[in-house]
Amino acid sequence: MCICRKYPIWLLFLVLPGFISISCDKNSSEGNLIITEAPVTVRNDTTDSLHFIPGARIVMLDPGSKTPELLTSRFYSACSPDISWDGSHMIFAAQEKENDTWQIWEMKLANREFRKLTSGDANCTDPVYLPNGNFIFTKTVEKGNALFSAAANESEIRQLTFHPHNNFGTSILADGRLITVTRQIYPEYSDPMLMVIRPDGTKGNAFYKGHIGCRFAGKVREGSDGRIYFIEGDSYAGSNNQLASISYNIPLHSFKLYSGEFTGSFRAVFPVETGKLLVSYRKNESENYSLYEFDSAAKQLGKQLYKPDKANVVDVAMVMQKTRPKKLPSEVDMGVKTGLLLCQDVNFTELGLDDLPEVRSNRIEINGIDSSMGIVHVAKDGSVYLKVVADRPFQIQKLDDHGKVTVQSAWIWIRPNERRGCVGCHENPELAPENIVPLSIKKDPVSVPVQITDIAEKEVELE
């Protein structure tokens, strides 16, 4: 019997969308696992081996199945996947051919269609979705690997970080800020640390630093319990990588170790729900990294979910709808060429206030990558107010009466129109400034770079 004879034609327009919705739901990838596999022959002891993995591939695994679907068969290598907030798309880094540069791609999970989001001669990797539909990624620049942002329509690619660092393993926090593994590479290498930064490149600050010699493997990810999970070890080789977390609220004083009783090593972590994690783990170096459930409350390894053949699980994510992070407003104005920096007291350090006359400093020097940008006298209260050329890295050095450097800051940069403040020099990042008016802001800021011929004129002590 013809259906249109039995039912009014208008009813079809109500019923058909329901059938379409049911069909889409049935074919949905919701709950599936996105797994990155690396060949066991790949060395795992350098930064590059964590983020530019030769011969890697991304597979999708239905938890009820033992056989995964290969998603990236058209690529020589693919890794660093991130899932969109509605669970509909996957963004990742890949090489089409072995000698190609790494670029960012996106796949629509419903039909497995690809599109290329970046191009060029520089390597691009570690992409992550922003709540506005744009994305962040790491790109190789002259000195290091910087963070960039790009619109989903492949326009408006902008550099966000300008320090001589490598920035990898980026993810986004619920508050809208990015968290990334950052490591100074110039003028010398330092231990990596976790840095938080706004998506417009402003307010980059140290968030957590591990023990001397520590390394971070894979992405850092925030759980729904307010803790930030990561893999930390003594080297990139992964012979004894530990599963750990810190609190979002007090990152410097909330370290928690979950794998202290384990003799094996961890490689990746993904928080699924409160207390429940997905982890990549191996019992000893003769085994490959496989995927397991993990109970963080009990600190117990759960069921093995997937064991690849002749490969290591180096990353894992889940296709699911997630709460979209906050969209942070931006103060960046590309029409402005400078930004402002206020330090409340350069003599306040992590150890407290340097209040001894022979220890206190009344001068600072601002150094760029290649040369000095000038010397500035600070106010009597130790404060200093600077107008700095935007998007140019610099360090601040405290000088004693003999011109000797006593303390040197980390690399800093100021975005166009950014207004930034700090409590002191290498102070505890969890400190809030005192509610006082620094003397230095009672006059115009000192412009940096300072003209060398004007140094004596600039070194007029503020009353």
Side-chain angles (χ1 to χ4, degrees), residues 360-414:
R360 286 185 63 83
S361 175
N362 61 6
R363 291 187 304 167
I364 60 170
E365 182 174 15
I366 298 95
N367 280 338
I369 290 285
D370 301 316
S371 62
S372 172
M373 297 167 69
I375 295 175
V376 177
H377 231 88
V378 303
K380 283 185 177 181
D381 62 353
S383 65
V384 63
Y385 188 32
L386 307 174
K387 178 187 283 187
V388 186
V389 174
D391 295 345
R392 181 172 173 179
F394 62 94
Q395 291 178 305
I396 295 177
Q397 298 179 152
K398 286 173 57 179
L399 304 178
D400 63 16
D401 291 340
H402 305 287
K404 181 181 178 181
V405 176
T406 58
V407 178
Q408 184 179 58
S409 75
W411 287 103
I412 309 168
W413 72 95
I414 304 291

Short mmCIF file of all heavy atoms in Angstrom, two decimals, residues 360-414:
data_model
loop_
_atom_site.label_atom_id
_atom_site.label_comp_id
_atom_site.label_asym_id
_atom_site.label_seq_id
_atom_site.Cartn_x
_atom_site.Cartn_y
_atom_site.Cartn_z
N ARG A 360 69.55 44.74 47.59
CA ARG A 360 68.55 45.43 46.80
C ARG A 360 69.17 46.03 45.54
O ARG A 360 70.32 46.45 45.52
CB ARG A 360 67.88 46.54 47.61
CG ARG A 360 66.90 46.01 48.66
CD ARG A 360 66.18 47.15 49.35
NE ARG A 360 65.36 47.92 48.42
CZ ARG A 360 64.13 47.58 48.06
NH1 ARG A 360 63.59 46.47 48.55
NH2 ARG A 360 63.45 48.34 47.24
N SER A 361 68.38 46.04 44.49
CA SER A 361 68.85 46.58 43.23
C SER A 361 68.05 47.82 42.85
O SER A 361 66.85 47.88 43.09
CB SER A 361 68.69 45.52 42.12
OG SER A 361 69.04 46.04 40.87
N ASN A 362 68.73 48.81 42.29
CA ASN A 362 68.02 50.00 41.84
C ASN A 362 68.10 50.18 40.33
O ASN A 362 67.68 51.19 39.78
CB ASN A 362 68.56 51.26 42.54
CG ASN A 362 70.03 51.51 42.24
OD1 ASN A 362 70.63 50.80 41.44
ND2 ASN A 362 70.60 52.50 42.90
N ARG A 363 68.64 49.17 39.64
CA ARG A 363 68.72 49.22 38.19
C ARG A 363 68.39 47.85 37.60
O ARG A 363 68.67 46.81 38.20
CB ARG A 363 70.12 49.62 37.73
CG ARG A 363 70.52 51.04 38.04
CD ARG A 363 71.86 51.37 37.40
NE ARG A 363 72.90 50.44 37.82
CZ ARG A 363 74.09 50.35 37.23
NH1 ARG A 363 74.36 51.08 36.16
NH2 ARG A 363 74.99 49.50 37.67
N ILE A 364 67.80 47.88 36.42
CA ILE A 364 67.59 46.66 35.66
C ILE A 364 68.08 46.88 34.24
O ILE A 364 68.11 48.02 33.75
CB ILE A 364 66.10 46.23 35.63
CG1 ILE A 364 65.24 47.33 34.99
CG2 ILE A 364 65.61 45.87 37.02
CD1 ILE A 364 63.82 46.89 34.71
N GLU A 365 68.47 45.80 33.60
CA GLU A 365 68.82 45.85 32.19
C GLU A 365 67.86 44.97 31.42
O GLU A 365 67.54 43.85 31.86
CB GLU A 365 70.26 45.38 31.96
CG GLU A 365 70.68 45.47 30.50
CD GLU A 365 72.14 45.14 30.28
OE1 GLU A 365 72.76 44.57 31.20
OE2 GLU A 365 72.66 45.46 29.19
N ILE A 366 67.38 45.45 30.30
CA ILE A 366 66.48 44.67 29.45
C ILE A 366 67.28 44.16 28.27
O ILE A 366 67.88 44.94 27.52
CB ILE A 366 65.29 45.52 28.95
CG1 ILE A 366 64.45 46.01 30.15
CG2 ILE A 366 64.41 44.69 28.03
CD1 ILE A 366 64.79 47.36 30.63
N ASN A 367 67.33 42.84 28.12
CA ASN A 367 68.12 42.21 27.05
C ASN A 367 67.20 41.56 26.02
O ASN A 367 66.26 40.84 26.37
CB ASN A 367 69.04 41.13 27.61
CG ASN A 367 70.30 41.73 28.21
OD1 ASN A 367 70.68 42.84 27.86
ND2 ASN A 367 70.94 41.01 29.11
N GLY A 368 67.50 41.80 24.74
CA GLY A 368 66.83 41.10 23.67
C GLY A 368 67.59 39.83 23.31
O GLY A 368 68.53 39.43 23.99
N ILE A 369 67.19 39.22 22.21
CA ILE A 369 67.85 37.98 21.76
C ILE A 369 69.32 38.22 21.45
O ILE A 369 70.19 37.44 21.83
CB ILE A 369 67.14 37.43 20.51
CG1 ILE A 369 65.75 36.88 20.87
CG2 ILE A 369 67.97 36.34 19.85
CD1 ILE A 369 65.76 35.56 21.57
N ASP A 370 69.62 39.33 20.78
CA ASP A 370 70.98 39.55 20.28
C ASP A 370 71.72 40.68 20.98
O ASP A 370 72.94 40.79 20.84
CB ASP A 370 70.94 39.84 18.78
CG ASP A 370 70.32 38.70 18.00
OD1 ASP A 370 70.67 37.54 18.29
OD2 ASP A 370 69.48 38.96 17.13
N SER A 371 71.03 41.55 21.69
CA SER A 371 71.71 42.71 22.27
C SER A 371 70.90 43.30 23.41
O SER A 371 69.73 42.98 23.61
CB SER A 371 71.94 43.78 21.19
OG SER A 371 70.70 44.23 20.69
N SER A 372 71.56 44.20 24.14
CA SER A 372 70.88 44.91 25.22
C SER A 372 69.88 45.90 24.64
O SER A 372 70.13 46.54 23.62
CB SER A 372 71.90 45.66 26.09
OG SER A 372 71.24 46.48 27.03
N MET A 373 68.74 46.03 25.32
CA MET A 373 67.72 46.99 24.91
C MET A 373 67.71 48.21 25.83
O MET A 373 66.83 49.07 25.73
CB MET A 373 66.35 46.31 24.89
CG MET A 373 66.26 45.17 23.88
SD MET A 373 64.80 44.13 24.09
CE MET A 373 63.50 45.25 23.60
N GLY A 374 68.67 48.26 26.78
CA GLY A 374 68.79 49.44 27.62
C GLY A 374 68.77 49.15 29.10
O GLY A 374 68.41 48.05 29.54
N ILE A 375 69.19 50.13 29.90
CA ILE A 375 69.22 50.05 31.36
C ILE A 375 68.24 51.07 31.91
O ILE A 375 68.18 52.21 31.44
CB ILE A 375 70.63 50.31 31.89
CG1 ILE A 375 71.60 49.20 31.41
CG2 ILE A 375 70.63 50.39 33.42
CD1 ILE A 375 73.04 49.45 31.78
N VAL A 376 67.48 50.66 32.92
CA VAL A 376 66.44 51.52 33.48
C VAL A 376 66.60 51.55 35.00
O VAL A 376 66.80 50.50 35.63
CB VAL A 376 65.03 51.00 33.11
CG1 VAL A 376 63.96 51.86 33.76
CG2 VAL A 376 64.86 50.97 31.60
N HIS A 377 66.49 52.74 35.58
CA HIS A 377 66.48 52.88 37.03
C HIS A 377 65.07 52.57 37.54
O HIS A 377 64.09 52.96 36.92
CB HIS A 377 66.85 54.32 37.43
CG HIS A 377 67.93 54.38 38.45
ND1 HIS A 377 69.26 54.41 38.11
CD2 HIS A 377 67.88 54.39 39.80
CE1 HIS A 377 69.99 54.47 39.21
NE2 HIS A 377 69.17 54.46 40.25
N VAL A 378 64.98 51.86 38.66
CA VAL A 378 63.68 51.56 39.24
C VAL A 378 63.35 52.62 40.29
O VAL A 378 64.22 53.36 40.76
CB VAL A 378 63.65 50.15 39.87
CG1 VAL A 378 64.01 49.11 38.83
CG2 VAL A 378 64.59 50.05 41.06
N ALA A 379 62.09 52.69 40.68
CA ALA A 379 61.66 53.64 41.70
C ALA A 379 62.15 53.21 43.07
O ALA A 379 62.63 52.08 43.26
CB ALA A 379 60.15 53.78 41.68
N LYS A 380 62.01 54.10 44.06
CA LYS A 380 62.48 53.80 45.41
C LYS A 380 61.81 52.57 46.00
O LYS A 380 62.39 51.86 46.83
CB LYS A 380 62.25 55.00 46.32
CG LYS A 380 63.26 56.12 46.13
CD LYS A 380 63.04 57.21 47.16
CE LYS A 380 64.09 58.30 47.03
NZ LYS A 380 63.91 59.37 48.05
N ASP A 381 60.55 52.30 45.60
CA ASP A 381 59.84 51.14 46.13
C ASP A 381 60.14 49.87 45.33
O ASP A 381 59.54 48.82 45.56
CB ASP A 381 58.33 51.39 46.17
CG ASP A 381 57.74 51.63 44.78
OD1 ASP A 381 58.52 51.74 43.80
OD2 ASP A 381 56.51 51.73 44.67
N GLY A 382 61.07 49.95 44.38
CA GLY A 382 61.46 48.78 43.59
C GLY A 382 60.60 48.55 42.36
O GLY A 382 60.84 47.61 41.61
N SER A 383 59.62 49.41 42.13
CA SER A 383 58.72 49.21 40.99
C SER A 383 59.33 49.79 39.71
O SER A 383 60.18 50.69 39.75
CB SER A 383 57.36 49.86 41.25
OG SER A 383 57.47 51.27 41.36
N VAL A 384 58.87 49.28 38.59
CA VAL A 384 59.31 49.77 37.29
C VAL A 384 58.16 49.62 36.31
O VAL A 384 57.41 48.64 36.34
CB VAL A 384 60.57 49.02 36.81
CG1 VAL A 384 60.29 47.54 36.58
CG2 VAL A 384 61.13 49.66 35.55
N TYR A 385 58.01 50.62 35.45
CA TYR A 385 56.88 50.69 34.52
C TYR A 385 57.45 50.88 33.12
O TYR A 385 58.13 51.88 32.84
CB TYR A 385 55.99 51.86 34.91
CG TYR A 385 54.68 51.99 34.18
CD1 TYR A 385 53.97 50.87 33.72
CD2 TYR A 385 54.11 53.25 33.97
CE1 TYR A 385 52.76 51.00 33.07
CE2 TYR A 385 52.90 53.40 33.32
CZ TYR A 385 52.23 52.27 32.88
OH TYR A 385 51.01 52.41 32.23
N LEU A 386 57.21 49.92 32.23
CA LEU A 386 57.85 49.90 30.92
C LEU A 386 56.83 49.88 29.79
O LEU A 386 55.78 49.25 29.90
CB LEU A 386 58.75 48.67 30.78
CG LEU A 386 59.81 48.43 31.86
CD1 LEU A 386 60.49 47.09 31.63
CD2 LEU A 386 60.82 49.57 31.90
N LYS A 387 57.17 50.58 28.72
CA LYS A 387 56.44 50.45 27.45
C LYS A 387 57.37 49.72 26.49
O LYS A 387 58.43 50.22 26.12
CB LYS A 387 56.06 51.81 26.88
CG LYS A 387 55.33 51.71 25.54
CD LYS A 387 55.12 53.07 24.89
CE LYS A 387 53.97 53.81 25.58
NZ LYS A 387 53.64 55.06 24.85
N VAL A 388 56.96 48.52 26.08
CA VAL A 388 57.85 47.61 25.35
C VAL A 388 57.33 47.40 23.94
O VAL A 388 56.12 47.28 23.72
CB VAL A 388 57.96 46.26 26.08
CG1 VAL A 388 59.00 45.37 25.42
CG2 VAL A 388 58.31 46.47 27.55
N VAL A 389 58.25 47.32 22.98
CA VAL A 389 57.88 46.98 21.61
C VAL A 389 57.21 45.59 21.62
O VAL A 389 57.74 44.65 22.20
CB VAL A 389 59.11 46.98 20.69
CG1 VAL A 389 58.76 46.47 19.30
CG2 VAL A 389 59.70 48.38 20.60
N ALA A 390 56.07 45.48 20.98
CA ALA A 390 55.28 44.25 21.04
C ALA A 390 55.92 43.12 20.24
O ALA A 390 56.68 43.35 19.28
CB ALA A 390 53.88 44.51 20.51
N ASP A 391 55.61 41.90 20.67
CA ASP A 391 55.99 40.67 19.96
C ASP A 391 57.49 40.55 19.75
O ASP A 391 57.97 40.06 18.72
CB ASP A 391 55.27 40.59 18.61
CG ASP A 391 53.76 40.45 18.77
OD1 ASP A 391 53.30 40.14 19.88
OD2 ASP A 391 53.03 40.66 17.77
N ARG A 392 58.24 41.01 20.77
CA ARG A 392 59.70 40.91 20.71
C ARG A 392 60.17 40.35 22.05
O ARG A 392 59.94 40.94 23.10
CB ARG A 392 60.29 42.29 20.47
CG ARG A 392 61.81 42.32 20.36
CD ARG A 392 62.28 43.69 19.93
NE ARG A 392 63.74 43.81 19.96
CZ ARG A 392 64.40 44.90 19.60
NH1 ARG A 392 63.74 45.96 19.16
NH2 ARG A 392 65.73 44.94 19.66
N PRO A 393 60.85 39.19 22.07
CA PRO A 393 61.24 38.58 23.34
C PRO A 393 62.33 39.37 24.06
O PRO A 393 63.22 39.94 23.42
CB PRO A 393 61.75 37.19 22.92
CG PRO A 393 62.21 37.37 21.51
CD PRO A 393 61.28 38.39 20.91
N PHE A 394 62.25 39.38 25.38
CA PHE A 394 63.28 40.06 26.17
C PHE A 394 63.38 39.42 27.55
O PHE A 394 62.47 38.70 27.99
CB PHE A 394 62.97 41.56 26.29
CG PHE A 394 61.69 41.88 27.01
CD1 PHE A 394 61.66 42.14 28.37
CD2 PHE A 394 60.49 41.93 26.31
CE1 PHE A 394 60.47 42.43 29.03
CE2 PHE A 394 59.29 42.23 26.96
CZ PHE A 394 59.29 42.48 28.32
N GLN A 395 64.49 39.67 28.21
CA GLN A 395 64.70 39.25 29.59
C GLN A 395 65.06 40.47 30.43
O GLN A 395 65.67 41.42 29.93
CB GLN A 395 65.84 38.22 29.69
CG GLN A 395 65.51 36.87 29.09
CD GLN A 395 66.69 35.92 29.17
OE1 GLN A 395 67.78 36.22 28.70
NE2 GLN A 395 66.48 34.77 29.78
N ILE A 396 64.68 40.44 31.70
CA ILE A 396 65.01 41.52 32.63
C ILE A 396 66.07 41.00 33.60
O ILE A 396 65.90 39.94 34.21
CB ILE A 396 63.77 42.00 33.39
CG1 ILE A 396 62.76 42.63 32.41
CG2 ILE A 396 64.14 43.00 34.48
CD1 ILE A 396 61.48 43.06 33.06
N GLN A 397 67.15 41.76 33.75
CA GLN A 397 68.23 41.41 34.67
C GLN A 397 68.34 42.46 35.76
O GLN A 397 68.37 43.66 35.47
CB GLN A 397 69.56 41.31 33.92
CG GLN A 397 69.60 40.26 32.85
CD GLN A 397 70.94 40.23 32.12
OE1 GLN A 397 71.35 39.20 31.61
NE2 GLN A 397 71.64 41.35 32.08
N LYS A 398 68.42 42.01 37.00
CA LYS A 398 68.71 42.93 38.10
C LYS A 398 70.22 43.15 38.16
O LYS A 398 71.00 42.20 38.06
CB LYS A 398 68.23 42.34 39.43
CG LYS A 398 66.73 42.37 39.63
CD LYS A 398 66.32 41.62 40.88
CE LYS A 398 67.01 42.17 42.12
NZ LYS A 398 66.61 41.46 43.35
N LEU A 399 70.62 44.40 38.34
CA LEU A 399 72.04 44.75 38.40
C LEU A 399 72.38 45.30 39.78
O LEU A 399 71.60 46.06 40.37
CB LEU A 399 72.39 45.80 37.35
CG LEU A 399 72.05 45.47 35.89
CD1 LEU A 399 72.40 46.65 35.01
CD2 LEU A 399 72.76 44.21 35.44
N ASP A 400 73.56 44.91 40.30
CA ASP A 400 74.01 45.51 41.56
C ASP A 400 74.76 46.81 41.26
O ASP A 400 74.82 47.27 40.11
CB ASP A 400 74.86 44.53 42.37
CG ASP A 400 76.16 44.13 41.66
OD1 ASP A 400 76.55 44.83 40.69
OD2 ASP A 400 76.79 43.14 42.07
N ASP A 401 75.35 47.42 42.29
CA ASP A 401 76.02 48.71 42.12
C ASP A 401 77.22 48.64 41.20
O ASP A 401 77.70 49.66 40.69
CB ASP A 401 76.44 49.26 43.48
CG ASP A 401 75.26 49.66 44.34
OD1 ASP A 401 74.18 49.88 43.75
OD2 ASP A 401 75.41 49.74 45.57
N HIS A 402 77.74 47.43 40.98
CA HIS A 402 78.91 47.25 40.12
C HIS A 402 78.52 46.79 38.71
O HIS A 402 79.40 46.46 37.91
CB HIS A 402 79.87 46.24 40.75
CG HIS A 402 80.28 46.61 42.15
ND1 HIS A 402 81.16 47.65 42.42
CD2 HIS A 402 79.93 46.09 43.37
CE1 HIS A 402 81.33 47.75 43.73
NE2 HIS A 402 80.60 46.82 44.33
N GLY A 403 77.22 46.74 38.44
CA GLY A 403 76.75 46.31 37.13
C GLY A 403 76.70 44.82 36.95
O GLY A 403 76.47 44.33 35.83
N LYS A 404 76.91 44.07 38.02
CA LYS A 404 76.87 42.61 37.94
C LYS A 404 75.43 42.12 38.00
O LYS A 404 74.61 42.64 38.78
CB LYS A 404 77.68 42.00 39.09
CG LYS A 404 77.72 40.48 39.08
CD LYS A 404 78.52 39.95 40.27
CE LYS A 404 78.52 38.43 40.28
NZ LYS A 404 79.27 37.89 41.45
N VAL A 405 75.11 41.11 37.19
CA VAL A 405 73.76 40.54 37.16
C VAL A 405 73.54 39.69 38.40
O VAL A 405 74.33 38.78 38.69
CB VAL A 405 73.54 39.70 35.89
CG1 VAL A 405 72.17 39.04 35.92
CG2 VAL A 405 73.70 40.55 34.65
N THR A 406 72.46 39.98 39.15
CA THR A 406 72.14 39.20 40.35
C THR A 406 70.99 38.23 40.12
O THR A 406 70.97 37.13 40.67
CB THR A 406 71.79 40.13 41.52
OG1 THR A 406 70.67 40.96 41.15
CG2 THR A 406 72.98 41.02 41.86
N VAL A 407 70.01 38.61 39.32
CA VAL A 407 68.87 37.76 38.99
C VAL A 407 68.48 38.03 37.54
O VAL A 407 68.52 39.17 37.08
CB VAL A 407 67.65 38.05 39.91
CG1 VAL A 407 66.47 37.18 39.49
CG2 VAL A 407 67.99 37.78 41.37
N GLN A 408 68.10 36.98 36.85
CA GLN A 408 67.65 37.12 35.46
C GLN A 408 66.29 36.47 35.30
O GLN A 408 66.06 35.35 35.77
CB GLN A 408 68.65 36.49 34.49
CG GLN A 408 68.29 36.69 33.02
CD GLN A 408 69.33 36.06 32.11
OE1 GLN A 408 69.60 34.87 32.16
NE2 GLN A 408 69.95 36.89 31.26
N SER A 409 65.38 37.15 34.65
CA SER A 409 64.03 36.61 34.45
C SER A 409 64.02 35.59 33.32
O SER A 409 64.98 35.46 32.56
CB SER A 409 63.06 37.74 34.11
OG SER A 409 63.24 38.17 32.77
N ALA A 410 62.91 34.89 33.21
CA ALA A 410 62.67 34.06 32.04
C ALA A 410 62.38 34.97 30.84
O ALA A 410 62.23 36.19 30.99
CB ALA A 410 61.50 33.12 32.30
N TRP A 411 62.30 34.40 29.65
CA TRP A 411 61.96 35.19 28.47
C TRP A 411 60.51 35.67 28.57
O TRP A 411 59.62 34.92 28.96
CB TRP A 411 62.14 34.36 27.21
CG TRP A 411 63.58 34.13 26.85
CD1 TRP A 411 64.31 32.99 27.04
CD2 TRP A 411 64.48 35.07 26.25
NE1 TRP A 411 65.59 33.15 26.60
CE2 TRP A 411 65.73 34.42 26.10
CE3 TRP A 411 64.34 36.39 25.81
CZ2 TRP A 411 66.83 35.05 25.55
CZ3 TRP A 411 65.45 37.02 25.26
CH2 TRP A 411 66.67 36.36 25.13
N ILE A 412 60.30 36.92 28.21
CA ILE A 412 58.98 37.55 28.25
C ILE A 412 58.69 38.15 26.88
O ILE A 412 59.61 38.52 26.16
CB ILE A 412 58.94 38.67 29.32
CG1 ILE A 412 59.45 38.17 30.67
CG2 ILE A 412 57.54 39.25 29.47
CD1 ILE A 412 59.71 39.29 31.67
N TRP A 413 57.44 38.25 26.52
CA TRP A 413 57.04 39.04 25.36
C TRP A 413 55.70 39.70 25.71
O TRP A 413 54.94 39.23 26.54
CB TRP A 413 56.91 38.18 24.10
CG TRP A 413 55.71 37.28 24.11
CD1 TRP A 413 54.48 37.52 23.57
CD2 TRP A 413 55.62 35.98 24.72
NE1 TRP A 413 53.62 36.46 23.80
CE2 TRP A 413 54.31 35.50 24.52
CE3 TRP A 413 56.53 35.18 25.44
CZ2 TRP A 413 53.88 34.27 24.99
CZ3 TRP A 413 56.08 33.95 25.91
CH2 TRP A 413 54.79 33.50 25.68
N ILE A 414 55.43 40.82 25.07
CA ILE A 414 54.19 41.56 25.28
C ILE A 414 53.47 41.67 23.93
O ILE A 414 54.07 42.06 22.93
CB ILE A 414 54.48 42.98 25.82
CG1 ILE A 414 55.30 42.91 27.11
CG2 ILE A 414 53.17 43.74 26.04
CD1 ILE A 414 54.56 42.36 28.29
#
